[in-house]
Amino acid sequence: MVAPLQNPPHPKERRLLFANLARPDFTNDIACSLKHGGYEDLKKAIKMKPADITAEVKTGAVRGRGGAGFPCGVKWGFIRPDNTKPVYLICNADESEPGTFKDRYIIHQDPHQLIEGMVISCFAVNAKLAYIYIRGEFPEGAKILEKALDEARTKNFLGKDILGSGFDCEIYVHRGAGAYICGEETGLIESLEGKRPYPRIKPPYFPAALGLYMCPTIVNNVETLCHVKHIIKMGGAEYAKLGRPNNTGTRVLCVSGDVMKPGNFEVEVGAVTMGELINDMCGGLKPGRKLKAIIPGGSSAKVLRADERFKLKSKDADGNPVEKEIGIEDIVLDFDTLAAIGSMAGSGGVIIMDDSRDMVETLANLNEFYAHESCGQCTPCREGSLWMKKITARMVEGHGADSDTATLKSVADNIAGKTICAFGEACAWPTQSFVAKFREEFEAKSKPTAVAGDGHHDEPTESEIALAGVEQ
Amino acid sequence: MSMQVPADFEAKIDAVILRYPVSKRSASLPLLHLWQERFGYISPYAIEWIAAKLELEPINILELVTFYPMFRQKPVGTCHIRVCRTLSCAMAGGYGLMKQLCEKTGIERPDHPDHHDPIAVSSDGKWSIEFVECLASCGTGPVCMVNDDFHEAVSPEKIGELVAHYEEK
Amino acid sequence: MSTATETTVQMLNVQIDGVWTQVPAGTRVIEACQTAGKFVPHYCYHPKLSSPGNCRMCLIEMGMPKMGPDRKPELGEDGKPIIGWIPRPQISCAQNVAEGMGIRTDSQMVQECRHGVMEFLLINHPLDCPICDQAGECRLQEFSVEYGNAESRFLDEKVKKPKKVELGPRITLDDERCILCSRCIRFSKEIAKDDVLGFVDRGSYSTLTCHPGKKLENNYSLNTVDICPVGALTSNDFRFKMRVWFLKETKSICTGCATGCNTIIGSREDKIYRQTPRENEEVNSCWMCDHGRLDFHYLHREDRLKTPKIRRGNTLVDATWKDAYDAAALALKKFSGEQIAILASARATNEELYLVQRLAAALKPTVIDVIARPGEADGILVSADRNSNTNGARLFKITGETPGSHTPVLAEKVNNGTVKALICLGENPLDAGIKPEALAKLGAFVVMNILPDAATPQAHVVLPSAGFAEKRGTMINGKGRLQRLNAAIRPPGQAQVDWEILRDLILALTGQNGIYTIEELFKQMAAETKPLSGLSLAGVGDQGTLLAL
């Protein structure tokens, strides 16, 4: 399995992390990694002061690549300077956000880049014990990581007195077992502690204060930790020149759905627009098809309608506020722009839907995902996610009712903002946005549309949900 | 009915527990994985044995086994297939993949599996299958796993090949 | 359970629904609201357990002072900080108040939150009210009135779960009613120290259960029924027996051991249906043990002693109270003090023991003592001393420093014939080591009790008395706390409350004029007993009074 990268790369790509993955002869053993600059930056970092590493990461201003986009350096800075408890670093390798497929390849094809980034990060925050929480469905990835960690130990990049610095650090692989909620940092921590992965209430359980075993804990995404290596390599200031202010560095976009060439594209943040991504890099839509909808940042991101007009506020050359209206193809793919137009950059998973897709069925597919993955701890998400799934399933089957569209919106509104963790928003935003933006399709199904003589089902068959509207 | 746990297996277990010096409870998931890999599924005895090993109550382990879909409490086929059903793979034909895999392997799978019992097993015990959520390979859908092997871009033409490959083994 | 000595507690300024008030630091937001008269509806929060914040019913609007550029709060026209309200609602059960915090318990946002949560809780909830024990004290019912919808817009099928789970010998669980608040799990782990409950499955299918090999059967299991906000956990003893709104509630105490857990006796028409714990920080927090809770059925036994009896030849025949007292007095007057023994009870009330002391003063028995009941404390609520009023027995000199130390002597004297007249008050003489043959040889054997035992047929006079729930009085628990019993039901048949029996017996023996009310009796008792001086029965209060013994 190799990352679906284009060869040669599109001119707009900037392969920083995926440079090695693009090499046809690159293998995941340490010898190959060392040949291509592996662990050079650890050697550099281990001679720096930990506070200086954090300062570089802050200057680099890299934002979390797991989905929340929170500035990494700021997160590290939340650990109290007077802390005396052990600090833990956890690599969130639980890649489960539908539409996202980047960490998989780093883990399987270039694990040493991740390990190097982790050891540098551990050194920066003084974490002597770290875990890679890898989703259970990557069994081969876990084995690859175990082997890579062993190799790193032999070379003294890990373990006691790393490269003679006096710093001890150990990293272990910890496998998950099929729960999306383990991607939520406090859910992950609970899972690592051996309990049901119920996210914690914040306050008071902010991981930087009360994380793993109630000690300060930093949870970072795989990609983010790799960026740390590159920040050390080129220096924070240089790194910050990539991308745009407040949206620095590169990121790996994952495009799937109704495009000719789905795959991974590493670009400077904000260097491409949606149109460039779809048309120039992905080869456009399938023949005879028109764009209908895009989910720009993993399934939890609010959907964008192809013919939507987006209002963007900015300042002109004289500093006067200016409002611009743009179309979907003009959307610049960075964190701030996507947030400004009412969605999010999230995990970088871009899902393209053309006009062969039924939006009610699409939402039904996602609602089933969220209902399945809800941990069940808090009332609104536990009850609401399954309710929304039942409604859209019933609508797809043709047994919609008058009230369904309004109920969907209302239920989603009652979940978002009321839950313990962001899963509430994650499961509510798809329903809110699909219903709002494709109202006519939902209204059309808010009445019985099953053909007379259909056998009545309690719930639609899975094939009914999936095959209708899915043209091969 | 209790069974003897092989010494080499217990040695592996003990080694894993050492990776969690702060709390033995953290070794719950790794132990469940080790057990399922060795014995195929998590039996009631497994739950009690693991709980005792980690100085926990059996309910603490049962809570985990029933929460995480990867753990099963009944045996599965020699070849266990996981088919992704989430959006991008569904759009690429994941549901059709499920249907055809069932046909090719002789699995009779109900239209609405009970949420307690999502795995369908063939009558000869060689194959079993279930839907799983996004496997993080959306660009090469539809995807599935057969035991620990990952298969991507499993178009209708490739299904026969895939099944044949495993039947040979 | 003991009060912390307070030095000075810092008071914080908190704005609740527009009104600035002072709240002690360390107060939970939800409690601060309660004190300010604003009840915040909730399910999963319990002041004695950890706060998971999962029901989301206690969401309120919260804010902190807006900070100016000088890092100090901006002040409004009233000189008080201006609150910057957080756009997202916050739960109030898991955070303490902070200086300058603002809380809104009743805004439109809060109302919407409550309506939303209420609806979510009801969509999968079975329509069991007509058959559910919790009806009348159910928080779903209660909050539905204010925050529920008259009609449901849920058109789909509810999630089905097991409806009659034998969770343990005393508890039946209905998983469909369960709202997954986890109070029972937290209680079992944190208070009962028996980590036996948990959730299996996931999402909306999450289900409360015990591991198949275990049961919820510890001695505190029934507290989970108390704290379950809905009818998921039910007590087998109470299930389907009585609607709670028919129950008369009487405040009393448990008499199962020296702890004296505060209780509420739920009864109707002279029948007790259940007991539940009553909160007393100094004694039992808000819990009681299963054993004490269920130990009332004996009061309703068919074979309760209901009529006074006098011996005629070989049998006991029914008699009037007057005849019984006269017979007892007559029999006892034949003997001198060295021939008389009194076996009293350390489970009797202070008022009764005070009168026993007066009886002893009149009869001057050669030996008087109680039956000791030593056991093992369980480190939670159950005391090692299984007598509920040993301190009272000591105070009124019915027993010595070591309770029951004279009882072997008493038994020996009865067995060897030295003692010819025995008065047994609320105890079985065979438990003291007295032999049945010796009882048969007594010249006078007066028994006051509630149930017949092996010794009763040997009695010359039987005086049927009242059980703990049928009389008023006080007891002193093992820590020296004076607490009140109240009568929930009347004694059956012609049985009388013990203190009146003793008063009338003393009257028959000595002609001393009686006391007519228990209040007068308490007053007299208090006047004569130093640790009780200045107290009145009313003044003891519902939470009791600590004595200097």
Side-chain angles (χ1 to χ4, degrees):
Chain A
M1 153 235 315
V2 287
L5 289 166
Q6 285 184 12
N7 188 19
H10 189 277
K12 285 232 160 169
E13 287 193 63
R14 175 68 194 266
R15 288 180 187 165
L16 211 59
L17 272 62
F18 271 39
N20 286 340
L21 270 67
R23 287 182 225 277
D25 55 349
F26 192 83
T27 48
N28 57 25
D29 52 284
I30 198 168
C32 191
S33 173
L34 288 168
K35 258 204 301 216
H36 295 284
Y39 294 101
E40 286 306 310
D41 308 297
L42 172 60
K43 291 174 186 162
K44 190 173 166 189
I46 208 84
K47 297 200 181 87
M48 296 165 68
K49 290 210 205 82
D52 292 341
I53 298 179
T54 304
E56 288 295 330
V57 174
K58 278 188 170 150
T59 308
V62 62
R63 294 167 71 158
R65 299 291 194 250
F70 192 86
C72 181
V74 176
K75 187 187 268 191
W76 289 7
F78 284 152
I79 302 180
R80 291 176 59 123
D82 58 356
N83 169 59
T84 51
K85 294 197 258 187
V87 177
Y88 300 103
L89 183 91
I90 303 176
C91 168
N92 188 341
D94 193 60
E95 184 171 61
S96 304
E97 179 77 14
T100 319
F101 48 100
K102 52 186 180 72
D103 301 338
R104 167 191 278 279
Y105 302 111
I106 296 172
I107 289 165
H108 288 81
Q109 290 183 259
D110 193 4
H112 287 287
Q113 186 182 183
L114 169 62
I115 295 172
E116 187 181 3
M118 267 187 91
V119 181
I120 295 173
S121 306
C122 285
F123 183 61
V125 301
N126 197 23
K128 298 194 167 53
L129 181 55
Y131 292 97
I132 302 175
Y133 190 104
I134 183 172
R135 63 178 295 181
E137 298 90 335
F138 288 174
E140 207 193 317
K143 291 199 183 94
I144 290 171
L145 282 170
E146 296 272 14
K147 175 164 167 279
L149 287 165
D150 273 336
E151 289 177 322
R153 283 182 198 109
T154 1
K155 299 269 190 220
N156 195 220
F157 297 139
L158 189 63
K160 293 228 180 295
D161 192 24
I162 293 173
L163 296 175
S165 65
F167 178 63
D168 303 336
C169 180
E170 196 44 82
I171 301 176
Y172 296 117
V173 175
H174 182 98
R175 291 181 66 203
Y180 169 80
I181 197 65
C182 293
E184 205 280 347
E185 60 177 2
T186 57
L188 195 165
I189 289 171
E190 287 284 305
S191 180
L192 238 177
E193 291 189 2
K195 299 184 258 169
R196 278 164 78 89
Y198 283 177
R200 295 177 177 170
I201 47 174
K202 297 184 279 203
Y205 299 110
F206 292 103
L210 297 170
L212 186 64
Y213 311 129
M214 292 299 150
C215 293
T217 305
I218 299 293
V219 181
N220 281 137
N221 171 262
V222 166
E223 192 189 336
T224 312
L225 289 165
C226 293
H227 281 281
V228 169
K229 172 211 159 82
H230 293 277
I231 289 175
I232 297 302
K233 189 198 203 84
M234 53 172 69
E238 277 303 303
Y239 181 90
K241 289 185 186 157
L242 299 169
R244 297 179 169 210
N246 204 41
N247 296 265
T248 58
T250 62
R251 83 165 312 177
V252 180
L253 295 170
C254 316
V255 186
S256 63
D258 295 328
V259 287
M260 291 305 289
K261 294 189 275 186
N264 292 117
F265 303 90
E266 186 174 358
V267 296
E268 290 188 42
V269 184
V272 295
T273 62
M274 191 70 85
E276 286 169 333
L277 179 66
I278 298 173
N279 300 319
D280 299 349
M281 296 168 107
C282 293
L285 302 167
K286 297 187 195 153
R289 285 292 170 208
K290 292 212 302 257
L291 184 66
K292 186 169 185 185
I294 301 179
I295 298 174
S299 64
S300 309
K302 290 193 178 183
V303 70
L304 306 173
R305 195 181 157 124
D307 56 5
E308 218 179 318
R309 305 297 295 165
F310 304 95
K311 290 193 171 60
L312 266 184
K313 294 193 175 97
S314 60
K315 300 225 161 81
D316 67 12
D318 303 319
N320 299 316
V322 142
E323 202 180 73
K324 211 168 50 158
E325 213 185 61
I326 57 168
I328 199 172
E329 299 201 351
D330 303 320
I331 297 174
V332 167
L333 294 176
D334 66 21
F335 294 93
D336 291 340
T337 309
L338 281 162
I341 54 112
S343 185
M344 69 171 180
S347 61
V350 183
I351 307 177
I352 310 294
M353 283 156 280
D354 67 26
D355 57 350
S356 72
R357 303 295 175 189
D358 179 306
M359 294 292 100
V360 180
E361 283 164 16
T362 306
L363 180 62
N365 180 290
L366 290 179
N367 279 350
E368 183 164 347
F369 170 80
Y370 289 107
H372 191 199
E373 297 291 350
S374 168
C375 74
Q377 185 184 190
C378 68
T379 308
C381 166
R382 176 183 70 238
E383 306 295 343
S385 64
L386 189 63
W387 190 1
M388 293 192 297
K389 176 222 157 158
K390 286 180 175 173
I391 296 175
T392 42
R394 191 166 38 75
M395 291 170 84
V396 159
E397 196 206 25
H399 297 294
D402 273 344
S403 54
D404 281 343
T405 304
T407 305
L408 276 173
K409 174 187 188 312
S410 170
V411 171
D413 289 347
N414 283 337
I415 300 173
K418 318 288 199 315
T419 53
I420 292 178
C421 78
F423 189 97
E425 278 76 17
C427 79
W429 282 345
T431 294
Q432 283 175 333
S433 57
F434 272 85
V435 167
K437 301 199 180 177
F438 295 97
R439 176 155 229 111
E440 69 282 1
E441 288 194 43
F442 286 88
E443 297 285 9
K445 287 218 160 72
S446 289
K447 59 174 187 273
T449 54
V451 173
D454 260 4
H456 174 74
H457 311 286
D458 288 339
E459 284 177 53
T461 61
E462 291 161 350
S463 45
E464 281 175 35
I465 300 172
L467 295 175
V470 176
E471 309 290 310
Q472 284 305 96
Chain B
M1 188 199 93
S2 67
M3 46 187 259
Q4 280 291 75
V5 167
D8 69 305
F9 177 68
E10 186 150 12
K12 260 197 195 166
I13 298 249
D14 289 332
V16 158
I17 294 176
L18 290 176
R19 296 177 159 200
Y20 304 95
V22 180
S23 165
K24 282 167 81 158
R25 189 171 186 166
S26 291
S28 303
L29 278 185
L31 261 56
L32 284 165
H33 274 301
L34 278 172
W35 190 288
Q36 183 162 286
E37 270 160 34
R38 182 66 169 253
F39 301 111
Y41 66 101
I42 308 294
S43 59
Y45 178 68
I47 294 172
E48 288 179 22
W49 192 94
I50 293 174
K53 188 72 173 167
L54 298 175
E55 292 168 64
L56 298 169
E57 293 295 324
I59 188 70
N60 302 136
I61 300 297
L62 183 63
E63 283 192 313
L64 304 181
V65 174
T66 55
F67 187 97
Y68 292 98
M70 277 187 80
F71 296 126
R72 52 223 177 206
Q73 292 178 273
K74 289 198 288 206
V76 295
T78 316
C79 290
H80 179 60
I81 312 176
R82 296 183 166 104
V83 180
C84 175
R85 67 151 291 281
T86 319
L87 190 59
S88 298
C89 279
M91 285 163 68
Y95 281 83
L97 174 59
M98 167 62 86
K99 196 158 171 228
Q100 292 190 298
L101 280 168
C102 285
E103 277 168 28
K104 288 262 182 344
T105 55
I107 298 175
E108 278 181 33
R109 183 173 175 272
D111 272 341
H112 300 300
D114 185 72
H115 68 270
H116 278 136
D117 212 3
I119 300 176
V121 186
S122 67
S123 46
D124 61 8
K126 290 195 187 152
W127 293 96
S128 55
I129 199 164
E130 63 174 327
F131 265 132
V132 292
E133 301 295 345
C134 180
L135 288 172
S137 187
C138 320
T140 60
V143 306
C144 69
M145 294 178 71
V146 182
N147 296 337
D148 283 353
D149 302 332
F150 179 72
H151 298 278
E152 51 192 345
V154 188
S155 58
E157 306 82 59
K158 289 208 195 140
I159 295 175
E161 238 178 79
L162 192 154
V163 171
H165 168 80
Y166 286 99
E167 304 234 280
E168 271 163 35
K169 284 199 187 168
Chain C
M1 298 185 197
S2 55
T3 37
T5 38
E6 289 178 47
T7 47
T8 41
V9 178
Q10 191 194 6
M11 299 299 277
L12 303 175
N13 295 298
V14 175
Q15 187 201 82
I16 301 178
D17 288 338
V19 176
W20 283 99
T21 180
Q22 293 232 305
V23 179
T27 307
R28 212 49 78 89
V29 171
I30 195 172
E31 298 290 349
C33 294
Q34 172 85 344
T35 315
K38 308 284 180 151
F39 174 74
V40 175
H42 56 278
Y43 294 101
C44 69
Y45 168 69
H46 191 285
K48 303 293 177 191
L49 304 172
S50 58
S51 287
N54 63 44
C55 73
R56 313 309 283 177
M57 193 65 186
C58 73
L59 287 167
I60 44 94
E61 263 191 86
M62 196 186 284
M64 290 302 289
K66 282 191 187 165
M67 293 307 216
D70 59 352
R71 302 270 200 102
K72 293 216 175 99
E74 287 179 26
L75 300 180
E77 280 174 10
D78 57 356
K80 300 274 201 308
I82 302 176
I83 307 285
W85 295 98
I86 305 172
R88 269 175 84 116
Q90 306 292 315
I91 51 175
S92 50
C93 64
Q95 244 183 310
N96 291 341
V97 294
E99 176 61 36
M101 183 184 271
I103 300 163
R104 284 179 181 149
T105 68
D106 208 17
S107 62
Q108 191 189 348
M109 182 204 283
V110 173
Q111 289 287 334
E112 282 169 11
C113 288
R114 292 175 187 169
H115 274 98
V117 171
M118 208 62 236
E119 182 179 34
F120 284 134
L121 286 171
L122 291 172
I123 57 170
N124 284 308
H125 198 77
L127 289 172
D128 276 358
C129 295
I131 58 159
C132 176
D133 287 323
Q134 200 82 4
E137 53 183 17
C138 169
R139 288 171 156 235
L140 275 181
Q141 281 187 342
E142 204 183 316
F143 301 146
S144 293
V145 175
E146 268 181 279
Y147 307 113
N149 297 329
E151 279 181 36
S152 170
R153 49 187 186 162
F154 183 75
L155 305 175
D156 298 281
E157 270 207 36
K158 293 179 186 259
V159 176
K160 300 272 186 284
K161 293 179 184 171
K163 269 194 95 63
K164 200 173 166 204
V165 181
E166 308 264 318
L167 209 58
R170 296 179 283 287
I171 299 196
T172 300
L173 164 67
D174 184 322
D175 272 310
E176 284 184 356
R177 299 176 188 168
C178 173
I179 58 168
L180 300 156
C181 72
S182 76
R183 274 180 168 194
C184 53
I185 300 177
R186 287 175 277 137
F187 172 84
S188 299
K189 202 184 336 206
E190 297 166 19
I191 308 285
K193 310 280 188 234
D194 182 27
D195 191 12
V196 78
L197 292 175
F199 289 134
V200 292
D201 282 349
R202 189 164 90 172
S204 211
Y205 300 108
S206 300
T207 305
L208 176 72
T209 191
C210 235
H211 182 267
K214 304 245 174 181
K215 289 194 179 305
L216 177 62
E217 54 186 351
N218 63 64
N219 194 23
Y220 293 89
S221 67
L222 286 167
N223 290 292
T224 60
V225 176
D226 293 337
I227 60 176
C228 178
V230 299
L233 291 168
T234 58
S235 160
N236 289 346
D237 191 63
F238 183 64
R239 206 164 140 93
F240 300 142
K241 294 269 168 62
M242 181 54 59
R243 281 309 195 185
V244 302
W245 55 82
F246 287 135
L247 292 176
K248 178 177 82 165
E249 295 194 330
T250 308
K251 295 178 192 161
S252 190
I253 58 170
C254 173
T255 55
C257 77
T259 304
C261 292
N262 287 206
T263 59
I264 295 182
I265 304 176
S267 67
R268 183 185 185 190
E269 291 168 29
D270 288 325
K271 184 166 175 206
I272 300 176
Y273 288 88
R274 69 171 185 186
Q275 295 189 106
T276 46
R278 183 164 57 93
E279 188 170 348
N280 188 328
E281 269 314 304
E282 305 305 318
V283 182
N284 58 311
S285 184
C286 34
W287 323 115
M288 71 187 293
C289 76
D290 288 5
H291 181 261
R293 181 195 294 259
L294 295 177
D295 202 18
F296 63 85
H297 291 286
Y298 65 87
L299 295 173
H300 300 304
R301 273 169 52 173
E302 270 303 301
D303 58 344
R304 278 288 294 270
L305 298 170
K306 294 180 187 137
T307 339
K309 292 189 197 288
I310 304 178
R311 181 162 222 90
R312 292 257 184 273
N314 276 337
T315 53
L316 287 165
V317 298
D318 293 351
T320 62
W321 275 105
K322 176 145 191 349
D323 287 346
Y325 291 133
D326 289 343
L330 197 61
L332 289 167
K333 278 183 182 154
K334 290 194 194 124
F335 299 96
S336 65
E338 312 92 65
Q339 297 170 307
I340 302 179
I342 301 181
L343 180 62
S345 176
R347 289 160 155 175
T349 64
N350 294 323
E351 293 75 10
E352 294 155 21
L353 291 166
Y354 168 74
L355 288 174
V356 171
Q357 189 184 45
R358 292 262 295 262
L359 180 67
L363 292 175
K364 300 190 185 12
T366 176
V367 61
I368 176 171
D369 209 332
V370 301
I371 295 188
R373 289 188 170 81
E376 248 190 71
D378 71 357
I380 303 176
L381 280 179
V382 179
S383 295
D385 181 2
R386 302 301 161 89
N387 278 326
S388 50
N389 200 12
T390 302
N391 274 334
R394 283 197 195 103
L395 185 63
F396 297 105
K397 309 221 184 329
I398 308 303
T399 189
E401 192 46 48
T402 311
S405 54
H406 307 300
T407 308
V409 172
L410 190 157
E412 221 211 295
K413 287 195 173 180
V414 173
N415 288 336
N416 70 22
T418 319
V419 160
K420 300 188 190 333
L422 176 62
I423 305 174
C424 238
L425 304 166
E427 292 286 1
N428 179 350
L430 301 177
D431 290 343
I434 297 172
K435 299 199 171 63
E437 317 81 81
L439 289 178
K441 294 193 186 125
L442 286 170
F445 181 21
V446 176
V447 160
M448 181 181 80
N449 215 332
I450 66 174
L451 283 162
D453 53 42
T456 315
Q458 310 281 17
H460 298 161
V461 180
V462 176
L463 307 168
S465 59
F468 75 91
E470 300 161 352
K471 58 191 177 183
R472 297 175 65 195
T474 58
M475 291 192 184
I476 307 173
N477 79 357
K479 297 215 171 100
R481 182 165 213 90
L482 182 69
Q483 305 191 110
R484 284 198 302 225
L485 284 79
N486 283 308
I489 56 178
R490 292 172 299 187
Q494 294 174 55
Q496 292 272 28
V497 293
D498 307 43
W499 79 264
E500 291 184 21
I501 298 175
L502 290 164
R503 171 203 60 197
D504 291 339
L505 185 59
I506 294 171
L507 180 59
L509 277 167
T510 65
Q512 282 171 22
N513 229 332
I515 299 163
Y516 293 98
T517 67
I518 195 169
E519 283 82 1
E520 280 174 30
L521 173 55
F522 188 95
K523 211 161 143 194
Q524 181 173 324
M525 176 178 78
E528 294 174 21
T529 321
K530 192 148 174 290
L532 302 174
S533 73
L535 288 172
S536 66
L537 190 55
V540 172
D542 287 334
Q543 299 276 289
T545 310
L546 194 61
L547 301 175
L549 287 175

